[in-house]
Amino acid sequence: MKSLDGKVAVVAGATRGAGRGIAMMLGEAGATVYVTGRSTREYLSSMGRPETINETAELVTKQGGNGIAVRVDHTIEAEVKALFQRIEQEQKGRLDILVNDIWGGDPLTQWETPFWKHRLDHGLFMQKQAVHSHMITSHYGAPLMVKNRKGLIVEVTDGINYEYRGNLYYSLAKISAIHLAQAMSEDLKNDHVTAIAVTPGFLRSEAMLDHFGVTEENWKEGAKKEPHFIASETPFFVGRAIAALASDPHVRSKTGKALSSWELAREYGFKDIDGSQPDWGKYFEENIR
């Protein structure tokens, strides 16, 4: 029996990258997964990439779960509200896992640019895309969990601390996700609902593979351009981290914490889909810091 059989999940921002990997690994564990985002086969988002939520839903089902694609712009309150009303009706009020992975900040980030020279509209829009959307989604998703007095909310972020991440607006968005988990855990502590922030390591996403001109089959060639790429991990690694958390009957002991894929792999023993067990934390300490 799969560990998440009968469980209902929402992965908000599941079109590609970590969101797709998380949705697929929740499916691998047997969950019904609502995969949301703005890119469908009929209408691609402004990101201009080919991946769609329809493909993600099919991949979830192929992994052994039940993938359901729902087009949602998580910055639009009415669309988010409608999503959870649909889930409440279709799943008889059940929601076990909510993953907030809405991002869209890559094209908005001007690296190596001080905040007063950074485009202000891009910096502010990043907060709308990656922080406000998470707040709206949790606002409408959490009541289903509170009603049932159980559930797990995961904020996907970058990093496990409050250190500067090379750009003020990027830092603000990613650190906000960590504090959202911490603050939600306090509000939810009497309702038996867990809130955790989780970060992947150096993510080998579709966009990153494209950036280095490689595929998943020959990805190590990318290390010729960026040596640290050799320590990267697929989106499925953080997906298995979140599936492990969702399967842990004692997950409430971690509420409010910021955790990493590599720490969770050490604890739960899962591996990436290629059989490796990347450890970005160890690599970072030994080769970068």
Side-chain angles (χ1 to χ4, degrees):
M1 182 176 178
K2 295 185 177 182
S3 61
L4 296 180
D5 270 344
K7 301 290 187 180
V8 178
V10 171
V11 181
T15 311
R16 61 185 70 84
R20 174 173 283 191
I22 293 164
M24 288 174 63
M25 295 302 95
L26 291 174
E28 180 182 63
T32 291
V33 187
Y34 286 80
V35 299
T36 70
R38 296 176 300 153
S39 292
T40 66
R41 289 196 176 106
E42 295 76 21
Y43 302 100
L44 293 179
S45 76
S46 57
M47 293 293 289
R49 291 197 54 85
E51 300 87 9
T52 68
I53 56 172
N54 310 91
E55 292 169 348
T56 302
E58 291 165 0
L59 290 166
V60 169
T61 301
K62 188 176 180 179
Q63 289 292 326
N66 177 26
I68 302 171
V70 185
R71 189 186 188 280
V72 180
D73 183 334
H74 285 264
T75 67
I76 300 175
E77 183 180 351
E79 293 189 15
V80 177
K81 183 178 182 180
L83 167 68
F84 288 104
Q85 287 175 335
R86 172 178 170 174
I87 292 169
E88 185 171 25
Q89 181 178 22
E90 292 180 352
Q91 303 300 329
K92 299 179 181 179
R94 179 162 194 166
L95 178 62
D96 300 286
I97 305 153
L98 170 59
V99 180
N100 279 317
D101 185 50
I102 311 108
W103 171 228
D106 289 339
L108 303 172
T109 308
Q110 295 170 243
W111 296 106
E112 300 179 1
T113 303
F115 69 87
W116 63 93
K117 294 183 179 180
H118 195 289
R119 281 190 57 170
L120 180 60
D121 59 335
H122 281 191
L124 295 177
F125 190 57
M126 195 188 306
Q127 311 316 305
K128 180 178 181 181
Q129 290 274 87
V131 182
H132 297 184
S133 63
H134 291 213
M135 296 168 70
I136 294 167
T137 304
S138 294
H139 177 86
Y140 286 103
L144 276 68
M145 296 180 171
V146 170
K147 183 178 179 180
N148 294 317
R149 295 185 62 76
K150 63 180 180 178
L152 170 66
I153 300 175
V154 178
E155 287 286 325
V156 179
T157 185
D158 177 8
I160 55 175
N161 54 40
Y162 283 25
E163 290 181 4
Y164 178 62
R165 288 153 170 75
N167 176 283
L168 183 148
Y169 298 105
Y170 182 94
S171 292
L172 182 59
K174 296 303 183 180
I175 290 170
S176 291
I178 293 175
H179 191 67
L180 281 174
Q182 184 181 24
M184 285 191 293
S185 74
E186 289 295 323
D187 284 356
L188 293 165
K189 64 184 178 183
N190 294 324
D191 297 296
H192 301 275
V193 178
T194 301
I196 300 172
V198 177
T199 181
F202 194 154
L203 192 69
R204 203 157 67 241
S205 64
E206 302 92 340
M208 192 59 67
L209 290 169
D210 289 349
H211 177 71
F212 289 121
V214 295
T215 65
E216 185 55 35
E217 286 68 36
N218 71 337
W219 69 269
K220 291 182 180 179
E221 293 294 309
K224 294 178 180 178
K225 296 181 180 179
E226 169 51 75
H228 301 315
F229 194 56
I230 199 66
S232 64
E233 63 194 57
T234 77
F236 306 107
F237 195 55
V238 71
R240 285 181 170 164
I242 291 172
L245 287 169
S247 303
D248 185 350
H250 305 295
V251 70
R252 284 198 67 210
S253 66
K254 294 179 171 62
T255 195
K257 295 182 178 180
L259 305 171
S260 67
S261 59
W262 59 91
E263 290 172 318
L264 292 168
R266 295 172 197 162
E267 178 179 355
Y268 292 111
F270 60 83
K271 298 184 184 300
D272 210 334
I273 56 168
D274 61 1
S276 67
Q277 194 174 56
D279 194 323
W280 177 249
K282 181 180 179 182
Y283 180 90
F284 186 89
E285 291 297 328
E286 293 179 352
N287 297 278
I288 301 176
R289 188 180 293 277

